[in-house]
């Protein structure tokens, strides 16, 4: 048998090591790539930080695309199947439920979005905005915020003198139902309500989104865009094409104030008004169903205009001190936010109205004695309701002090507070941080003396807050004063109240003469909501805004209302109960000087219940300011009225908070 001979591989002669040219090149070689030799002689390369980052980003992308593939591959009913397996059968959406009951579309429905929830698109811009024609600058993906932030800020700002378009820039409201159905991909605003109405026969011919540029003052939306005229025409058209059936108006948030302005405008004579005559509302409106309405303003607006922050921003600053104030990549975040938002006249419509008469003074407030509950409440009980009849173990809260400089001032007796009036303080030109000149705000014109005078005043009630804003932001408030007012009318028959600046303040105007119309106040309760603030004077060289919320003013007691420098009260996380409910609870209840025709008013409060699990998304029982738009109970109430029902058909008042008790404590001439 022949043998197969295999040739032995010839061994290679050992190669001489590479000659080292010089010590400098050796160091250069090792700096660029580090080598390690294992026991078997194979070289291993040590990974750099860049390699690790690339692999991390790659893993995230692969995981994201894999999950996206699974999401698109799975049956549409799979998330509902999993949710029902965990929580039990889900209730039918209101649209399905009412369709089974035989209810059908009847009255045309008009949606009025609030501040920031409506989309805005570019029609004309500067060179930095090339390629963005009719692309959304507000809403959608917000991609331009990351790609060209300074350009975005410039185009979202209005003229600081006129409150209208800057030269060479035109940003306009998106039109149609898509203007505010979703704020961002996956984050609904009106979409759930629209979808449920569609179940019973509604479509675009009997649904209308009254989109407007929410940055402008209410009267300027008519001056620049004729938005009020278009709303009037569309409502008239929908009523006439639906057999004369009156419209149901559904405003949300600041849209509530906008529609108050509209009801006065539409009946006022031209040229200041729409010329519809004194019976226009009676002929065209069946009901106004206000969602989360800040009828009397929100304290949150004070903090936003005063220091460009609220509770969430203050907490972020405490976690990362200096980050939001430092000039990072030439983006002074809060200064840009302050400069931009102070050009939006609409923000001044949200300032508290009614002064100390409504919101309280140094030693009293309507919500006095309210207890904030840290423990989870039962499904039919809110923190406020539980607290009204319980003895609080925490320190009493002086809610009337909207701004206090220091926790000890917030808690002090009125006789112990020694303040120095800031109104006569002399302003200067020097500021602590000269680098702030890159992003101008009105604080640059105050000087160190003016800034210190504000802190030395110690405590500000609602009346003083308006004077404070006139002092720190005179240009902004000069524009605002031409369009808004914050007082209480002594005589509503005084001709001065015919001016448009009073039309969005329910305490300085009358409801229309429409006795058959109904007004509803629908809002969430059971969520801690900002009511008053503890501030500090900040003289850090890194900060261009001299006042900050004092986040160290905090009480660990879970039932305390003071958390991270903010005193909380019952509400929907944005609007306190007092602002959302007082007008329908007292000032408009029955025939009053504010409601001379006796329009029926109802309060419907929805106790907040967070989603039971992540698969429920934002939940169907939420009472939060925006998430309530997906609350099944609220949607059902709106749909029953739209299909012909009235207040008695949905159960009249539904109250969980202390709104009636708090309203009784307010001494207001009716």
């Amino acid at each position: 048998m022949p043998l197969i001979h295999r040739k032995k591989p010839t061994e290679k002669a050992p190669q001489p090591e590479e000659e080292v040219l010089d010590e400098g090149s050796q160091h250069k070689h090792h700096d660029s790539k580090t080598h390690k030799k294992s026991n078997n002689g194979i070289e291993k390369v040590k990974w750099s930080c860049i390699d690790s980052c690339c692999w991390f980003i790659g893993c995230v992308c692969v995981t994201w695309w894999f999950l996206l593939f699974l999401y698109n591959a799975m049956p549409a009913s799979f998330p509902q199947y999993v949710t029902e397996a965990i929580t039990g059968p889900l209730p039918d959406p209101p649209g399905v439920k009412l369709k089974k009951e035989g209810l059908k579309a009847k009255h045309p429905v008009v949606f009025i979005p609030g501040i920031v929830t409506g989309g805005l698109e570019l029609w004309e811009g500067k060179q930095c905005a090339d390629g963005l024609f009719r692309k959304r600058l507000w809403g959608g993906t917000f991609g331009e915020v990351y790609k060209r932030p300074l350009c975005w800020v410039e185009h979202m700002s209005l003229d600081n003198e006129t409150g209208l378009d800057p030269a060479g820039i035109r940003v306009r409201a998106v039109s149609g139902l898509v203007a505010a159905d979703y704020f961002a991909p996956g984050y609904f605003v009106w979409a759930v309500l629209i979808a449920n109405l569609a179940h019973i026969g509604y479509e675009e011919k009997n649904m209308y989104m009254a989109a407007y540029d929410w940055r402008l003052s209410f009267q300027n939306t008519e001056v620049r865009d004729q938005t009020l005229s278009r709303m009037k025409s569309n409502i008239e058209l929908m009523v006439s094409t639906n057999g004369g059936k009156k419209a149901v108006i559904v405003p949300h948030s600041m849209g509530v104030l906008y529609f108050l302005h509209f009801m006065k405008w539409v009946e006022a004579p031209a040229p200041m008004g729409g010329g519809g005559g004194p019976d226009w509302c009676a002929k065209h409106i069946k009901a106004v169903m206000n969602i989360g309405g800040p009828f009397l303003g929100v304290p949150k607006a004070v903090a936003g205009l005063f220091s460009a922050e609220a509770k969430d921003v203050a907490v972020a600053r405490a976690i990362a001190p200096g980050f939001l104030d430092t000039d990072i990549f030439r983006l002074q975040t809060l200064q840009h936010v302050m400069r931009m938002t102070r050009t939006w006249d609409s923000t001044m419509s949200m300032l508290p109205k009614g002064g100390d008469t409504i919101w309280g003074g140094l030693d009293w407030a309507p919500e006095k004695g309210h207890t904030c509950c840290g423990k989870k409440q039962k499904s039919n009980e809110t923190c406020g309701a539980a607290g009204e009849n319980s003895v609080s173990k925490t320190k009493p809260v002086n809610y009337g002090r909207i701004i206090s400089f220091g926790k000890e001032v917030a808690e002090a007796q009125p006789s112990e507070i020694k303040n120095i009036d800031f109104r006569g303080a002399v302003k200067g030109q020097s500021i602590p941080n000269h680098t702030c000149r890159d992003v101008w705000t009105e604080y640059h014109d105050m000087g160190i003396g003016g800034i210190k005078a504000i802190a030395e005043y110690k405590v500000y009630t609602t009346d003083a807050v308006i004077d404070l804003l006139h002092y720190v932001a005179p240009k902004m408030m000069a524009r605002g004063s031409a369009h808004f007012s914050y007082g209480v009318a002594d005589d509503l028959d005084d001709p001065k109240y015919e001016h448009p600046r009073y039309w969005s303040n329910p305490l300085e105007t009358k409801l229309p003469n429409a006795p058959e119309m109904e007004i509803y106040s629908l809002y969430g309760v059971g969520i801690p909501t900002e009511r008053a603030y503890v501030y500090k004077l900040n003289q850090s060289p890194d900060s261009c805004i001299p006042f900050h919320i004092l986040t160290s003013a905090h009480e660990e007691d879970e039932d305390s209302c003071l958390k991270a420098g903010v005193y909380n009260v019952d509400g929907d996380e944005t609007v306190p109960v007092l602002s959302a409910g007082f007008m329908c609870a007292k000032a408009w209840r029955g025939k009053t000087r504010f409601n001379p025709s006796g329009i029926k008013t109802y309060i419907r409060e929805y106790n907040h219940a967070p989603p039971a699990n992540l698969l429920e998304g934002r939940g169907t029982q939420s009472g939060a300011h925006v998430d309530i738009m997906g609350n099944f109970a609220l949607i059902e109430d709106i749909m029953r009225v739209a299909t012909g029902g009235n207040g008695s058909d949905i159960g009249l008042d539904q109250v969980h908070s202390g709104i009636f008790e708090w309203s009784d404590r307010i001494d207001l001439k009716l």
Side-chain angles (χ1 to χ4, degrees):
M1 175 174 162
L3 296 177
I4 299 175
H5 296 280
R6 294 186 181 181
K7 188 177 180 181
K8 289 185 179 181
T10 58
E11 294 185 2
K12 291 184 179 180
Q15 298 293 326
E17 292 183 4
E18 291 183 2
E19 184 177 349
V20 179
L21 298 177
D22 60 273
E23 188 177 354
S25 63
Q26 186 180 25
H27 282 293
K28 183 177 179 181
H29 175 74
H30 283 282
D31 285 342
S32 61
K33 203 166 188 178
T34 305
H35 294 263
K36 283 187 178 180
K37 185 171 285 189
S38 63
N39 293 332
N40 58 6
I42 300 176
E43 290 185 343
K44 290 185 177 180
V45 180
K46 184 180 179 181
W47 279 27
S48 68
C49 180
I50 295 177
D51 294 325
S52 300
C53 289
C54 290
W55 268 98
F56 174 75
I57 294 172
C59 290
V60 170
C61 291
V62 170
T63 304
W64 168 254
W65 284 109
F66 178 70
L67 292 175
L68 190 63
F69 169 78
L70 291 180
Y71 176 79
N72 286 282
M74 73 173 66
S77 60
F78 183 75
Q80 181 179 348
Y81 172 79
V82 175
T83 302
E84 290 184 352
I86 297 172
T87 63
L90 296 176
D92 284 335
V96 175
K97 177 182 176 181
L98 299 190
K99 185 176 182 179
K100 290 178 179 178
E101 294 180 15
L103 296 182
K104 296 181 179 180
K106 185 175 183 181
H107 295 274
V109 178
V110 178
F111 310 118
I112 303 180
I115 192 169
V116 310
T117 55
L120 300 176
E121 61 187 16
L122 182 69
W123 281 81
E124 180 184 2
K126 300 292 182 68
Q127 185 175 358
C128 66
D130 285 348
L132 297 181
F133 176 68
R134 295 208 64 195
K135 297 288 182 64
R136 287 202 183 195
L137 293 187
W138 189 271
T141 61
F142 285 92
E144 299 311 316
V145 179
Y146 312 109
K147 295 178 183 176
R148 29 190 155 184
L150 296 182
C151 182
W152 179 84
V153 168
E154 180 183 8
H155 285 74
M156 282 298 298
S157 300
L158 295 170
D159 186 273
N160 200 37
E161 300 290 340
T162 65
L164 296 169
D165 291 327
I169 294 176
R170 282 186 296 149
V171 175
R172 297 293 183 263
V174 178
S175 60
L177 294 177
V178 297
D181 54 353
Y182 288 91
F183 176 63
Y187 191 90
F188 69 81
V189 182
W190 294 91
V192 179
L193 176 57
I194 292 170
N196 278 278
L197 285 166
H199 275 292
I200 58 172
Y202 279 93
E203 50 190 283
E204 284 202 275
K205 70 180 181 181
N206 49 13
M207 285 193 295
Y208 166 60
M209 181 72 72
Y212 59 99
D213 189 338
W214 43 261
R215 301 172 301 161
L216 300 173
S217 70
F218 301 156
Q219 194 68 8
N220 273 346
T221 63
E222 174 66 15
V223 171
R224 195 193 74 178
D225 301 332
Q226 295 75 53
T227 306
L228 298 174
S229 293
R230 289 205 305 273
M231 190 190 307
K232 175 177 179 283
S233 299
N234 276 286
I235 292 175
E236 290 171 345
L237 176 64
M238 292 171 70
V239 170
S240 64
T241 56
N242 280 273
K245 297 180 182 66
K246 300 177 186 178
V248 172
I249 315 297
V250 189
H252 174 242
S253 190
M254 192 186 74
V256 169
L257 303 179
Y258 189 59
F259 193 71
L260 276 178
H261 183 95
F262 172 83
M263 286 195 293
K264 295 299 293 184
W265 174 88
V266 74
E267 295 189 344
M272 295 297 287
D279 59 350
W280 191 93
C281 291
K283 289 181 178 178
H284 295 89
I285 302 175
K286 167 184 166 55
V288 184
M289 308 197 74
N290 303 288
I291 304 175
F295 290 102
L296 303 178
V298 291
K300 206 173 197 177
V302 175
L305 293 174
F306 184 52
S307 60
E309 62 183 341
K311 177 172 60 178
D312 297 336
V313 173
V315 170
R317 177 188 275 122
I319 295 173
F323 182 81
L324 292 175
D325 305 299
T326 306
D327 187 359
I328 300 174
F329 305 118
R330 299 194 62 78
L331 299 178
Q332 296 163 313
T333 310
L334 291 184
Q335 291 87 295
H336 281 296
V337 170
M338 173 174 282
R339 184 180 182 183
M340 178 177 68
T341 56
R342 281 189 175 184
T343 68
W344 299 348
D345 289 350
S346 62
T347 57
M348 287 174 277
S349 74
M350 305 284 280
L351 289 173
K353 302 175 178 67
D356 295 359
T357 301
I358 299 294
W359 296 91
L362 289 177
D363 58 354
W364 84 279
E367 306 100 325
K368 189 173 183 178
H370 170 73
T371 302
C372 297
C373 303
K375 296 180 180 178
K376 188 176 180 180
Q377 301 298 300
K378 297 178 181 178
S379 60
N380 62 348
E381 177 182 70
T382 67
C383 180
E388 293 303 313
N389 300 315
S390 61
V391 178
S392 174
K393 297 180 182 179
T394 60
K395 297 177 182 178
V397 178
N398 298 306
Y399 285 118
R401 305 176 189 184
I402 300 291
I403 290 178
S404 301
F405 276 89
K407 184 171 180 284
E408 65 284 351
V409 173
E411 298 173 349
Q413 294 296 322
S415 59
E416 298 174 354
I417 301 174
K418 307 297 181 184
N419 53 10
I420 302 173
D421 199 341
F422 65 92
R423 295 173 181 87
V426 178
K427 296 183 180 181
Q429 293 297 321
S430 59
I431 57 174
N433 186 352
H434 292 280
T435 63
C436 298
R437 289 286 179 185
D438 293 340
V439 188
W440 182 90
T441 68
E442 292 190 72
Y443 281 126
H444 294 95
D445 297 333
M446 290 184 59
I448 297 174
I451 290 170
K452 287 184 176 179
I454 292 171
E456 289 173 351
Y457 192 73
K458 305 290 186 186
V459 61
Y460 295 81
T461 61
T462 308
D463 284 340
V465 157
I466 302 300
D467 293 337
L468 169 66
L469 292 175
H470 273 285
Y471 184 79
V472 302
K475 288 186 178 180
M476 176 190 75
M477 292 301 289
R479 295 195 324 271
S481 296
H483 295 285
F484 304 107
S485 181
Y486 311 103
V488 179
D490 293 324
D491 180 10
L492 286 168
D493 293 323
D494 189 323
K496 77 174 186 178
Y497 293 111
E498 296 175 4
H499 192 280
R501 68 188 293 257
Y502 299 102
W503 291 349
S504 61
N505 182 354
L507 299 173
E508 293 183 309
T509 190
K510 298 178 184 178
L511 288 176
N513 183 16
E516 295 181 359
M517 193 170 83
E518 295 178 324
I519 295 181
Y520 298 80
S521 187
L522 319 173
Y523 56 90
V525 295
I527 308 178
T529 303
E530 297 170 45
R531 177 66 166 82
Y533 303 89
V534 179
Y535 267 86
K536 68 175 181 177
L537 175 62
N538 180 55
Q539 295 178 311
S540 168
D542 291 330
S543 178
C544 302
I545 299 176
F547 309 107
H548 290 171
I549 294 174
L550 182 60
T551 54
S552 60
H554 184 87
E555 293 181 0
E556 295 298 333
D557 187 342
E558 62 181 7
D559 290 340
S560 172
C561 293
L562 177 60
K563 300 295 181 185
V566 178
Y567 285 104
N568 296 293
V569 75
D570 196 10
D572 69 359
E573 204 170 29
T574 296
V575 183
V577 164
L578 185 67
S579 179
F582 173 75
M583 295 307 298
C584 285
K586 183 174 182 177
W588 287 340
R589 183 70 49 130
K591 283 191 176 184
T592 69
R593 67 189 183 107
F594 304 104
N595 181 15
S597 67
I599 295 172
K600 292 181 180 179
T601 62
Y602 303 96
I603 289 179
R604 300 286 293 175
E605 294 183 345
Y606 304 89
N607 195 7
H608 175 68
N613 56 69
L614 292 176
L615 293 175
E616 287 190 17
R618 289 151 63 194
T620 59
Q621 301 179 65
S622 176
H625 188 63
V626 176
D627 293 356
I628 197 173
M629 303 292 282
N631 185 301
F632 279 8
L634 176 139
I635 292 173
E636 182 176 336
D637 286 346
I638 293 173
M639 294 181 69
R640 288 193 181 279
V641 173
T643 53
N646 54 37
S648 59
D649 293 321
I650 63 174
L652 304 176
D653 292 325
Q654 175 180 278
V655 177
H656 301 289
S657 72
I659 183 58
F660 284 113
E661 180 181 348
W662 297 342
S663 298
D664 287 341
R665 296 175 184 172
I666 295 175
D667 184 15
L668 180 68
K669 175 187 172 185
L670 299 177

